[in-house]
Amino acid sequence: MCGIIGYTGDGDHVMDVLLTGLSGLEYRGYDSAGVAISEPERTAETEPASSRAGVASTPAEPSAVAGDVTVHKREGELAALEDALPDGSVDGAAGIGHTRWSTHGPPSDANAHPHTDCSGHVAVVHNGIIENYEELREELAADGHAFESDTDTEVVPHLLERELARGADPEAAFRTAVSRLAGSYAVAAVVAGDETVYAARHESPLVLGVGGDGHFLASDVPAFIEYTDRVIYLDDGEFATVTPTGVRIADERGNTLETSVETISWDPEDAGKSGYDHYMLKEINEQPEAIRDCLRERVEELSGSVSVSELDDVSLVRGSATDGDSTGRLRPVQFVACGTSYHAALYGARLLRERGVPAQSFLASEYTTDRVPVSAETVAVGVTQSGETADTLRALREANRAGAETIALTNVVGSSAARECDHVTYVRAGPEIGVAATKTFASQQVALAMLAAALTDGGSQALVESLRAIPDGIQRVLDETNARAVAREFVDSDAFFFIGRGYDAPVAMEGALKMKEITYRHAEGFAAGELKHGPLALVTEETPVFATMTDSQSGGDGLSKILGNVREVEARGAPVVAVTDQPEAVGGSADHVLEVPSVGPAFTPILANVQLQLVSYWVANELGRSIDKPRNLAKSVTVE
């Protein structure tokens, strides 16, 4: 993994399109980048052959076939690849590019994609993990194929090479090669002298772009949104042939499939920085508008009702009242998610439990139906920003196989989760480029609040008023925050603690995750009551504790309980930062206060989270970190 771009069209602009596409995929995280272009037919005696995959601009032996594949790739950022490109453009009608996040083998020029066959006439890029690559590698080596990298991907061009040598045409050779792969993959290939990009997917995303002057494929829409907003989403088991004049989708036997073209509702400006220094800061500031979009047409203030049309067919009541088999009991709801989305799922499960629904949250990587009771009565909700998170997709597929009714709560229209689940609810946060999720977390929380209301009591006037107050409350935080000053005071700290109770606990966990992701400093977040069960041993005068204390605290004595936890850390000399809507009640127990407006017991923590996002951002900024592309992390984790 991590990002794929492909283009067929205007031969004078292939390289420019590929580099633009790779730039649009940088947000996903990567440690090397590369491109391959299939050159048009030529006379081998009069034109030099291209490189054999490894180092940019290194000549290989002259080719004996018409056309060739030119490959350039480099470890490091995209700028390193651009610096390595020769003067002048490389002509060609088809090209592929890749940003790699290391899985097999360390970052290096040799391990960077694209990878080629022995002759250098086939180039391949791949996301995912080929589980049987060692077996295939041994088989191909026995046939005389030589390998130059540590990657699992390199077996694919050699499989293609073997099928071409046996007389297969490129499309048939590609299908046969892919049929030998086990695991997850999105794979794309070009062949010398051919103006087609061949692609296939299995449990790793690929989307096609339908343009006027050519056609595209990519891991994600931002790679080509500058050129077209018309897309086709590839499903598992489908193959695509992309040419300058059109695209064709086929099954594994080569039979053409009917497809529909969808139009993306956002434009290239939505994915820009709009004058901000970082995408993350821009996206933090976009949260009021993102939440307004999430609420649009789903809440009715006059009637005090919440209606999520996508969930109209979902009932949490066991059995059916019409056939006399209704028990009146509520069906169990199981949330599956990873990372930030898991913290949102914890929040959503608590909302449902307070409405009497038996709801649990599971880390998707730990969710297996042989250990978790799942049946046709179960409702499984997958919370995933991208809709492509491998662990979450696997969990949802297990739930499906066990007969559960599945709901995807995602930000990406047409994503795998959206297409595979029985129902889908979109959070409508718009494109999020920064690796560290910000506006999508807030939008997930709001969407989960509406989901909980829509599936239970239908909402109330007080609920709707609170939801409507969230965007203005966040804007007030953004306008009045003193998070930057707090960040400057604690920028040299080696560790941070984040604590909270009730609905504040998931926010504390998310605050710690943000601090870890973008500052590379140690941070822990947990329910405040857990302090005395171990973490207190790590608290020192150099360990700032961020205590989220809003009116969401569980029980009438919730605030007094967390104040007791605060005094525990103060007794050890730790500085305390209170994030609260009750500064008069907690100010005397804190060294600093980050104030938020009160917008209702379940929703004020959403505003508190914005303060914690800003603290992490400004600490990372003071440290000079790569905020939008933190080391070792990918935006969409498409491997388990």
Side-chain angles (χ1 to χ4, degrees):
M1 54 182 299
C2 189
I4 289 174
I5 177 66
Y7 172 67
T8 62
D10 186 343
D12 293 332
H13 296 96
V14 173
M15 183 66 79
D16 290 341
V17 171
L18 295 181
L19 293 175
T20 298
L22 293 180
S23 177
L25 293 170
E26 283 191 291
Y27 72 96
R28 295 168 67 92
Y30 69 106
D31 51 42
S32 59
V35 293
I37 293 178
S38 173
E39 299 178 18
E41 293 186 0
R42 58 178 176 74
T43 304
E45 293 78 13
T46 59
E47 293 187 29
S50 70
S51 66
R52 162 66 175 97
V55 178
S57 305
T58 301
E61 293 300 317
S63 171
V65 300
D68 209 342
V69 173
T70 298
V71 175
H72 301 283
K73 55 187 187 173
R74 277 290 186 271
E75 175 190 354
E77 295 194 352
L78 185 57
L81 171 65
E82 293 173 330
D83 290 343
L85 295 175
D87 294 334
S89 62
V90 178
D91 291 333
I96 52 177
H98 191 268
T99 51
R100 176 182 187 250
W101 189 59
S102 299
T103 53
H104 291 75
S108 68
D109 289 356
N111 287 334
H113 296 216
H115 291 286
T116 62
D117 63 336
C118 293
S119 64
H121 300 141
V122 173
V124 169
V125 293
H126 159 244
N127 285 349
I129 293 178
I130 299 171
E131 295 173 357
N132 61 336
Y133 85 99
E134 291 179 329
E135 168 193 330
L136 292 172
R137 190 168 179 134
E138 290 177 5
E139 175 188 318
L140 289 161
D143 284 349
H145 291 263
F147 291 84
E148 298 187 353
S149 78
D150 304 314
T151 69
D152 54 340
T153 304
E154 198 180 357
V155 299
V156 184
H158 290 283
L159 289 170
L160 249 169
E161 178 184 31
R162 184 167 67 181
E163 295 306 315
L164 291 169
R166 292 172 175 173
D169 64 71
E171 183 177 353
F174 181 76
R175 284 202 309 273
T176 301
V178 170
S179 72
R180 296 294 313 280
L181 308 180
S184 61
Y185 53 78
V187 59
V190 290
V191 178
D194 192 337
E195 60 182 11
T196 303
V197 176
Y198 303 94
R201 69 155 282 176
H202 178 67
E203 299 181 357
S204 191
L206 273 180
V207 58
L208 308 178
V210 180
D213 298 321
H215 296 83
F216 309 80
L217 69 87
S219 302
D220 205 353
V221 172
F224 56 69
I225 190 62
E226 179 178 327
Y227 303 99
T228 183
D229 60 358
R230 301 174 66 223
V231 303
I232 299 171
Y233 294 99
L234 210 61
D235 283 326
D236 280 355
E238 292 183 346
F239 290 74
T241 53
V242 186
T243 71
T245 57
V247 299
R248 185 173 77 91
I249 313 299
D251 62 19
E252 64 272 11
R253 296 182 180 86
N255 301 313
T256 299
L257 302 173
E258 293 296 322
T259 57
S260 59
V261 179
E262 300 183 29
T263 301
I264 298 298
S265 60
W266 46 274
D267 60 43
E269 288 298 316
D270 294 329
K273 289 184 183 177
S274 302
Y276 289 93
D277 290 338
H278 298 95
Y279 284 111
M280 183 179 178
L281 185 59
K282 170 180 178 273
E283 288 154 6
I284 289 172
N285 280 273
E286 286 176 339
Q287 288 177 110
E289 190 58 35
I291 291 173
R292 290 188 184 99
D293 287 341
C294 186
L295 294 171
R296 191 179 64 250
E297 298 175 355
R298 291 171 169 171
V299 295
E300 175 53 56
E301 204 151 5
L302 290 178
S303 63
S305 62
V306 175
S307 175
V308 182
S309 60
E310 303 96 325
L311 303 179
D312 285 347
D313 296 333
V314 182
S315 173
L316 293 187
V317 179
R318 297 177 192 249
S320 169
T322 58
D323 60 16
D325 192 33
S326 175
T327 65
R329 292 183 297 142
L330 296 176
R331 300 164 65 189
V333 177
Q334 296 173 352
F335 290 93
V336 291
C338 304
T340 289
S341 295
Y342 175 67
H343 300 149
L346 290 170
Y347 175 83
R350 187 179 187 91
L351 284 166
L352 281 173
R353 287 196 300 272
E354 289 199 349
R355 288 165 170 78
V357 179
Q360 295 173 280
S361 298
F362 296 90
L363 287 165
S365 58
E366 295 293 317
Y367 182 88
T368 56
T369 53
D370 60 338
R371 298 174 192 167
V372 179
V374 182
S375 69
E377 288 192 335
T378 305
V379 178
V381 182
V383 185
T384 163
Q385 185 280 134
S386 66
E388 304 293 349
T389 309
D391 287 319
T392 304
L393 287 173
R394 181 203 53 75
L396 287 168
R397 288 163 183 155
E398 282 208 37
N400 260 326
R401 285 192 290 269
E405 189 170 12
T406 54
I407 300 172
L409 191 139
T410 183
N411 190 41
V412 180
V413 176
S415 60
S416 295
R419 287 178 285 125
E420 293 184 23
C421 287
D422 299 316
H423 314 275
V424 58
T425 296
Y426 293 110
V427 303
R428 301 176 181 170
E432 185 176 68
I433 306 301
V435 167
T438 51
K439 65 176 178 175
T440 52
F441 178 62
S443 296
Q444 284 172 340
Q445 290 175 296
V446 170
L448 286 165
M450 290 189 290
L451 177 147
L455 295 182
T456 55
D457 56 18
S460 66
Q461 197 128 24
L463 172 70
V464 171
E465 288 175 2
S466 290
L467 289 169
R468 291 280 198 191
I470 293 172
D472 288 342
I474 292 179
Q475 190 60 57
R476 181 175 158 188
V477 170
L478 294 170
D479 293 341
E480 300 176 2
T481 182
N482 57 326
R484 189 171 192 176
V486 171
R488 282 174 171 160
E489 177 156 347
F490 298 116
V491 68
D492 294 325
S493 301
D494 291 329
F496 300 81
F497 281 157
F498 295 79
I499 60 174
R501 286 178 176 266
Y503 287 107
D504 285 332
V507 167
M509 297 176 191
E510 176 62 12
L513 180 60
K514 286 295 152 286
M515 187 66 75
K516 283 183 273 197
E517 285 179 316
I518 64 169
T519 72
Y520 315 152
R521 293 291 169 82
H522 178 75
E524 288 193 44
F526 43 82
E530 288 299 296
L531 258 175
K532 62 179 69 70
H533 298 289
L536 205 56
L538 298 176
V539 172
T540 71
E541 296 89 344
E542 304 299 322
T543 313
V545 176
F546 288 79
T548 305
M549 299 185 281
T550 71
D551 61 0
S552 74
Q553 305 297 326
S554 59
D557 59 350
L559 184 60
S560 64
K561 284 184 177 180
I562 196 167
L563 282 171
N565 301 134
V566 165
R567 293 186 183 103
E568 289 173 337
V569 299
E570 283 185 322
R572 276 77 180 173
V576 174
V577 179
V579 187
T580 184
D581 57 339
Q582 304 170 78
E584 68 289 342
V586 305
S589 301
D591 298 277
H592 299 275
V593 174
L594 293 170
E595 189 173 350
V596 298
S598 179
V599 292
F603 306 123
T604 304
I606 298 174
L607 279 59
N609 177 66
V610 177
Q611 291 281 25
L612 298 181
Q613 290 172 347
L614 289 164
V615 170
S616 293
Y617 172 82
W618 288 116
V619 171
N621 191 67
E622 290 287 326
L623 293 171
R625 302 299 194 224
S626 178
I627 291 175
D628 290 328
K629 295 176 286 183
R631 67 188 184 196
N632 303 330
L633 298 180
K635 180 66 174 174
S636 179
V637 183
T638 56
V639 295
E640 293 183 49

